[in-house]
Amino acid sequence: RRSAAAPQLGSDSTAELALGAAASITAGFADVGTLDTHTCMFSWGDGSSSTVAASGGSCMGSRTYVQAGVYTV
C-alpha cells in the first residue's frame, strides 16, 4: 500500500537583486513516500512560471527579471 501524503515544502529566502541579475531559489521538501517522484512549480510573481524536476528533497529555479519591482515567488 502506498501513502498519498502530500510533501511538506519549506523556503524562506529573501534577496534584493540588481535589475538583470538572475534570481535563484532552492526549495526543500520532505515526503514519507519514498517511491514518489516530484516536480516543483515556481510562480515568479510577474505572470511567468517554470516547472522543474525535484531531486534529493529539493529543487532549484531561476528567473531574470527585465523590469524593476518587488516580486513574490
Side-chain angles (χ1 to χ4, degrees), residues 4-51:
Q8 300 298 308
L9 175 68
S11 180
D12 60 0
S13 178
T14 61
E16 193 170 309
L17 302 169
L19 186 60
S24 297
I25 186 168
T26 300
F29 63 89
D31 185 4
V32 297
T34 57
L35 299 177
D36 294 345
T37 59
H38 301 90
T39 57
C40 297
M41 187 190 82
F42 295 96
S43 177
W44 295 105
D46 64 352
S48 68
S49 64
S50 59
T51 301

